[in-house]
Amino acid sequence: MMAEATGPNSPAPLFRCKVLKPPRYLVPPHERVVTHPPIAVVAGIVRRDDGCVLISQRLPDDTLGGYWEFPGGKVEPGEDLKVALRRELAEELGIDTEIGAEIHSIVHAYPDRDVQLFFFEARIVSGEPQKLEVADLRWVTLDELMNYQFPEADLPLLKQLQGSR
């Protein structure tokens, strides 16, 4: 409905409209409709001879900044999983690695995206891990893993690793 202006100093016409807002609730995971394929991510379980595994801390400005994880990263479209992991470990840590068997995979739904994680055994062929694209690095025992804050998607693997001792 429009109000009519009657003179040169009259206010501008007014219009009524209804503003529609989306509902303010989160959809439970079992009711989500996924419209994009999950983001493929690879990670390496890099072990030393003494049984310790290498973990890295995400940069503060990254998604889940400050969390600890097994080093790795996103797979480029069309890239082989093992090739992607070898590339990511070189970029993030400056190490050349030999990628072994896949030991775990999971699809995990975060509120803003789905990820499909592939975890592989990895062995350093050359180089010493450096903090090139990570906030920190640690060699830890399997018992110490639970002392660090990992993303929710990594928790099943942590339990699997601790059960394999």
Side-chain angles (χ1 to χ4, degrees), residues 90-150:
E91 290 173 1
E92 288 187 0
L93 308 176
I95 55 176
D96 185 25
T97 52
E98 179 180 280
I99 309 303
E102 181 180 322
I103 60 169
H104 185 78
S105 66
I106 186 171
V107 175
H108 185 80
Y110 286 105
D112 59 338
R113 71 189 69 157
D114 291 351
V115 294
Q116 184 168 16
L117 294 156
F118 300 92
F119 296 93
F120 291 87
E121 291 284 353
R123 185 179 67 79
I124 297 175
V125 175
S126 66
E128 189 64 33
Q130 306 166 53
K131 297 183 274 185
L132 300 178
E133 294 183 11
V134 297
D136 202 359
L137 296 171
R138 302 259 169 92
W139 288 100
V140 299
T141 66
L142 295 178
D143 289 330
E144 295 171 322
L145 284 173
M146 292 308 235
N147 297 336
Y148 295 87
Q149 185 177 22
F150 279 80

